């Protein structure tokens, strides 16, 4: 299913041909490929993709790409799925469909320094289209599009829709800043007001700050976890 994608201008598709798109994207980014490259591996049971961007702002600000890609995906799946299908997100990047985990986002960058402008930033998507024959029912906290009534969605069209919606949000963020992304992302977040364990901290998930950082309140203090804590380290 790894035929060429129909992508909007400024985005270029790069088939991963069965490889992990995140690994392939890291290699391409290190070689100096253009921002806007979308590496993809689309199979009947799994959609994996990785979008390479070339930020012009410090890493702390460029991390907005994670909620931007997440909101773009929610918009894309929301437009293609039946109206009764609920799509939510977690702060750490999980994708929830009707309350169960159906996939996740990952993020990697050329630097870990929040004040440095990274040469590249990659946001990866890994989505379960259909669980294996032995999986349904064994893990009620995990699901797939097929199990949630989305069997008619073509994963290629979904990937293309994600790219289009994400590009719209990138353009809007460039022009208007964090506020519009924040306004759409926060209502989609699961777990606000509930106990959470994240980044070595435990407490109540109070919400997020203006740069999308997680606020965790324990008995004594409030901790702020910036999105940069989600960056994958080099392997």
């Amino acid at each position: 299913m790894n035929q060429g994608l129909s992508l909007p201008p400024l985005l270029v598709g790069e088939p991963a041909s069965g490889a992990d798109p995140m690994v392939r994207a890291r290699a391409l980014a290190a070689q100096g490929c253009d921002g806007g490259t979308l590496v993809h591996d689309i199979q009947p049971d799994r959609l994996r993709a990785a979008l390479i961007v070339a930020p012009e702002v410090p890493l702390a600000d460029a991390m907005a790409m994670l909620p931007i890609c997440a909101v773009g995906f929610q918009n894309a799946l929301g437009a293609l799925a039946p109206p009764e299908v609920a799509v939510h997100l977690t702060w750490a990047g999980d994708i929830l469909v009707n309350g169960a985990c159906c996939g996740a986002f990952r993020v990697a960058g050329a630097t870990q320094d929040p004040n440095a402008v990274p040469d590249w930033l990659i946001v990866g998507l890994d989505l379960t289209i259909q669980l294996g024959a032995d999986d349904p029912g064994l893990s009620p906290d995990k699901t797939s599009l097929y199990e949630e009534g989305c069997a008619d969605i073509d994963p290629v069209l979904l990937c293309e829709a994600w790219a289009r919606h994400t590009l719209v949000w990138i353009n809007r963020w460039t022009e208007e800043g964090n506020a519009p992304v924040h306004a759409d992302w926060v209502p989609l977040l699961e777990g606000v007001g509930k106990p959470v364990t994240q980044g070595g901290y435990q407490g109540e998930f109070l919400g997020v700050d203006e740069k999308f950082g997680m606020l965790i309140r324990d008995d004594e203090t409030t901790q702020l976890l910036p999105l940069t804590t989600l960056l994958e380290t080099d392997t």
Side-chain angles (χ1 to χ4, degrees), residues 118-135:
D119 291 335
W120 50 263
L121 190 73
I122 302 170
V123 179
L125 166 66
D126 191 338
L127 183 72
T128 303
I129 303 298
Q130 186 170 359
L131 293 171
D134 297 331
D135 292 337

PDB file of all heavy atoms in Angstrom, residues 118-135:
ATOM      1  N   PRO A 118      16.739  23.994  16.225  1.00  0.00           N
ATOM      2  CA  PRO A 118      17.163  22.677  15.712  1.00  0.00           C
ATOM      3  C   PRO A 118      17.259  22.673  14.192  1.00  0.00           C
ATOM      4  O   PRO A 118      16.473  23.331  13.501  1.00  0.00           O
ATOM      5  CB  PRO A 118      16.046  21.745  16.190  1.00  0.00           C
ATOM      6  CG  PRO A 118      14.848  22.626  16.337  1.00  0.00           C
ATOM      7  CD  PRO A 118      15.360  23.977  16.744  1.00  0.00           C
ATOM      8  N   ASP A 119      18.239  21.936  13.680  1.00  0.00           N
ATOM      9  CA  ASP A 119      18.340  21.779  12.223  1.00  0.00           C
ATOM     10  C   ASP A 119      17.120  21.052  11.683  1.00  0.00           C
ATOM     11  O   ASP A 119      16.708  21.284  10.542  1.00  0.00           O
ATOM     12  CB  ASP A 119      19.606  20.994  11.865  1.00  0.00           C
ATOM     13  CG  ASP A 119      20.873  21.785  12.146  1.00  0.00           C
ATOM     14  OD1 ASP A 119      20.822  23.031  12.153  1.00  0.00           O
ATOM     15  OD2 ASP A 119      21.920  21.142  12.382  1.00  0.00           O
ATOM     16  N   TRP A 120      16.571  20.160  12.500  1.00  0.00           N
ATOM     17  CA  TRP A 120      15.378  19.418  12.078  1.00  0.00           C
ATOM     18  C   TRP A 120      14.604  18.959  13.302  1.00  0.00           C
ATOM     19  O   TRP A 120      15.137  18.848  14.394  1.00  0.00           O
ATOM     20  CB  TRP A 120      15.739  18.217  11.200  1.00  0.00           C
ATOM     21  CG  TRP A 120      16.809  17.318  11.749  1.00  0.00           C
ATOM     22  CD1 TRP A 120      18.143  17.340  11.434  1.00  0.00           C
ATOM     23  CD2 TRP A 120      16.661  16.256  12.716  1.00  0.00           C
ATOM     24  NE1 TRP A 120      18.829  16.360  12.138  1.00  0.00           N
ATOM     25  CE2 TRP A 120      17.942  15.693  12.935  1.00  0.00           C
ATOM     26  CE3 TRP A 120      15.568  15.725  13.395  1.00  0.00           C
ATOM     27  CZ2 TRP A 120      18.164  14.626  13.806  1.00  0.00           C
ATOM     28  CZ3 TRP A 120      15.778  14.659  14.289  1.00  0.00           C
ATOM     29  CH2 TRP A 120      17.063  14.121  14.464  1.00  0.00           C
ATOM     30  N   LEU A 121      13.335  18.715  13.077  1.00  0.00           N
ATOM     31  CA  LEU A 121      12.439  18.149  14.087  1.00  0.00           C
ATOM     32  C   LEU A 121      11.547  17.154  13.360  1.00  0.00           C
ATOM     33  O   LEU A 121      11.098  17.426  12.234  1.00  0.00           O
ATOM     34  CB  LEU A 121      11.599  19.242  14.741  1.00  0.00           C
ATOM     35  CG  LEU A 121      10.784  18.845  15.979  1.00  0.00           C
ATOM     36  CD1 LEU A 121      11.714  18.654  17.175  1.00  0.00           C
ATOM     37  CD2 LEU A 121       9.753  19.923  16.311  1.00  0.00           C
ATOM     38  N   ILE A 122      11.320  16.009  13.972  1.00  0.00           N
ATOM     39  CA  ILE A 122      10.517  14.965  13.339  1.00  0.00           C
ATOM     40  C   ILE A 122       9.379  14.577  14.265  1.00  0.00           C
ATOM     41  O   ILE A 122       9.603  14.288  15.444  1.00  0.00           O
ATOM     42  CB  ILE A 122      11.357  13.708  13.017  1.00  0.00           C
ATOM     43  CG1 ILE A 122      12.526  14.062  12.093  1.00  0.00           C
ATOM     44  CG2 ILE A 122      10.494  12.627  12.381  1.00  0.00           C
ATOM     45  CD1 ILE A 122      13.530  12.933  11.936  1.00  0.00           C
ATOM     46  N   VAL A 123       8.168  14.558  13.743  1.00  0.00           N
ATOM     47  CA  VAL A 123       7.013  14.056  14.475  1.00  0.00           C
ATOM     48  C   VAL A 123       6.549  12.781  13.794  1.00  0.00           C
ATOM     49  O   VAL A 123       6.228  12.784  12.602  1.00  0.00           O
ATOM     50  CB  VAL A 123       5.870  15.084  14.525  1.00  0.00           C
ATOM     51  CG1 VAL A 123       4.674  14.502  15.288  1.00  0.00           C
ATOM     52  CG2 VAL A 123       6.335  16.374  15.188  1.00  0.00           C
ATOM     53  N   GLY A 124       6.536  11.691  14.543  1.00  0.00           N
ATOM     54  CA  GLY A 124       6.152  10.396  13.993  1.00  0.00           C
ATOM     55  C   GLY A 124       4.766   9.982  14.436  1.00  0.00           C
ATOM     56  O   GLY A 124       4.346  10.263  15.564  1.00  0.00           O
ATOM     57  N   LEU A 125       4.049   9.318  13.558  1.00  0.00           N
ATOM     58  CA  LEU A 125       2.712   8.794  13.822  1.00  0.00           C
ATOM     59  C   LEU A 125       2.734   7.281  13.645  1.00  0.00           C
ATOM     60  O   LEU A 125       3.261   6.773  12.651  1.00  0.00           O
ATOM     61  CB  LEU A 125       1.702   9.416  12.855  1.00  0.00           C
ATOM     62  CG  LEU A 125       0.315   8.756  12.744  1.00  0.00           C
ATOM     63  CD1 LEU A 125      -0.447   8.884  14.051  1.00  0.00           C
ATOM     64  CD2 LEU A 125      -0.475   9.369  11.583  1.00  0.00           C
ATOM     65  N   ASP A 126       2.175   6.568  14.618  1.00  0.00           N
ATOM     66  CA  ASP A 126       2.047   5.109  14.528  1.00  0.00           C
ATOM     67  C   ASP A 126       0.610   4.769  14.918  1.00  0.00           C
ATOM     68  O   ASP A 126       0.216   4.939  16.067  1.00  0.00           O
ATOM     69  CB  ASP A 126       3.035   4.428  15.464  1.00  0.00           C
ATOM     70  CG  ASP A 126       3.142   2.924  15.222  1.00  0.00           C
ATOM     71  OD1 ASP A 126       2.199   2.342  14.645  1.00  0.00           O
ATOM     72  OD2 ASP A 126       4.157   2.326  15.609  1.00  0.00           O
ATOM     73  N   LEU A 127      -0.171   4.301  13.960  1.00  0.00           N
ATOM     74  CA  LEU A 127      -1.602   4.081  14.153  1.00  0.00           C
ATOM     75  C   LEU A 127      -1.966   2.632  13.844  1.00  0.00           C
ATOM     76  O   LEU A 127      -1.557   2.092  12.813  1.00  0.00           O
ATOM     77  CB  LEU A 127      -2.394   5.017  13.246  1.00  0.00           C
ATOM     78  CG  LEU A 127      -3.913   4.978  13.379  1.00  0.00           C
ATOM     79  CD1 LEU A 127      -4.364   5.628  14.684  1.00  0.00           C
ATOM     80  CD2 LEU A 127      -4.566   5.669  12.191  1.00  0.00           C
ATOM     81  N   THR A 128      -2.736   2.013  14.722  1.00  0.00           N
ATOM     82  CA  THR A 128      -3.182   0.637  14.498  1.00  0.00           C
ATOM     83  C   THR A 128      -4.477   0.646  13.678  1.00  0.00           C
ATOM     84  O   THR A 128      -5.498   1.163  14.120  1.00  0.00           O
ATOM     85  CB  THR A 128      -3.433  -0.086  15.832  1.00  0.00           C
ATOM     86  OG1 THR A 128      -2.240  -0.044  16.618  1.00  0.00           O
ATOM     87  CG2 THR A 128      -3.825  -1.537  15.600  1.00  0.00           C
ATOM     88  N   ILE A 129      -4.401   0.090  12.498  1.00  0.00           N
ATOM     89  CA  ILE A 129      -5.582  -0.007  11.631  1.00  0.00           C
ATOM     90  C   ILE A 129      -6.422  -1.224  12.016  1.00  0.00           C
ATOM     91  O   ILE A 129      -7.649  -1.160  12.105  1.00  0.00           O
ATOM     92  CB  ILE A 129      -5.171  -0.106  10.155  1.00  0.00           C
ATOM     93  CG1 ILE A 129      -4.297   1.096   9.752  1.00  0.00           C
ATOM     94  CG2 ILE A 129      -6.404  -0.211   9.262  1.00  0.00           C
ATOM     95  CD1 ILE A 129      -4.982   2.427   9.867  1.00  0.00           C
ATOM     96  N   GLN A 130      -5.756  -2.347  12.255  1.00  0.00           N
ATOM     97  CA  GLN A 130      -6.462  -3.566  12.641  1.00  0.00           C
ATOM     98  C   GLN A 130      -5.576  -4.388  13.570  1.00  0.00           C
ATOM     99  O   GLN A 130      -4.389  -4.588  13.297  1.00  0.00           O
ATOM    100  CB  GLN A 130      -6.827  -4.393  11.408  1.00  0.00           C
ATOM    101  CG  GLN A 130      -7.700  -5.605  11.729  1.00  0.00           C
ATOM    102  CD  GLN A 130      -8.252  -6.261  10.474  1.00  0.00           C
ATOM    103  OE1 GLN A 130      -8.017  -5.814   9.367  1.00  0.00           O
ATOM    104  NE2 GLN A 130      -9.007  -7.329  10.639  1.00  0.00           N
ATOM    105  N   LEU A 131      -6.147  -4.841  14.683  1.00  0.00           N
ATOM    106  CA  LEU A 131      -5.419  -5.689  15.612  1.00  0.00           C
ATOM    107  C   LEU A 131      -5.218  -7.073  15.028  1.00  0.00           C
ATOM    108  O   LEU A 131      -5.955  -7.499  14.142  1.00  0.00           O
ATOM    109  CB  LEU A 131      -6.179  -5.795  16.936  1.00  0.00           C
ATOM    110  CG  LEU A 131      -6.287  -4.515  17.770  1.00  0.00           C
ATOM    111  CD1 LEU A 131      -7.257  -4.742  18.927  1.00  0.00           C
ATOM    112  CD2 LEU A 131      -4.937  -4.064  18.291  1.00  0.00           C
ATOM    113  N   GLY A 132      -4.207  -7.768  15.539  1.00  0.00           N
ATOM    114  CA  GLY A 132      -3.983  -9.143  15.109  1.00  0.00           C
ATOM    115  C   GLY A 132      -5.141 -10.035  15.528  1.00  0.00           C
ATOM    116  O   GLY A 132      -5.932  -9.695  16.414  1.00  0.00           O
ATOM    117  N   ALA A 133      -5.223 -11.204  14.936  1.00  0.00           N
ATOM    118  CA  ALA A 133      -6.356 -12.103  15.163  1.00  0.00           C
ATOM    119  C   ALA A 133      -6.517 -12.481  16.630  1.00  0.00           C
ATOM    120  O   ALA A 133      -7.633 -12.712  17.108  1.00  0.00           O
ATOM    121  CB  ALA A 133      -6.187 -13.369  14.315  1.00  0.00           C
ATOM    122  N   ASP A 134      -5.409 -12.520  17.366  1.00  0.00           N
ATOM    123  CA  ASP A 134      -5.468 -12.947  18.769  1.00  0.00           C
ATOM    124  C   ASP A 134      -5.595 -11.776  19.737  1.00  0.00           C
ATOM    125  O   ASP A 134      -5.690 -11.983  20.950  1.00  0.00           O
ATOM    126  CB  ASP A 134      -4.211 -13.748  19.134  1.00  0.00           C
ATOM    127  CG  ASP A 134      -4.099 -15.034  18.324  1.00  0.00           C
ATOM    128  OD1 ASP A 134      -5.151 -15.570  17.936  1.00  0.00           O
ATOM    129  OD2 ASP A 134      -2.962 -15.479  18.070  1.00  0.00           O
ATOM    130  N   ASP A 135      -5.582 -10.547  19.232  1.00  0.00           N
ATOM    131  CA  ASP A 135      -5.524  -9.377  20.111  1.00  0.00           C
ATOM    132  C   ASP A 135      -6.863  -8.873  20.628  1.00  0.00           C
ATOM    133  O   ASP A 135      -6.966  -8.477  21.787  1.00  0.00           O
ATOM    134  CB  ASP A 135      -4.798  -8.231  19.408  1.00  0.00           C
ATOM    135  CG  ASP A 135      -3.326  -8.533  19.203  1.00  0.00           C
ATOM    136  OD1 ASP A 135      -2.802  -9.371  19.955  1.00  0.00           O
ATOM    137  OD2 ASP A 135      -2.712  -7.951  18.298  1.00  0.00           O
TER     138      ASP A 135
END
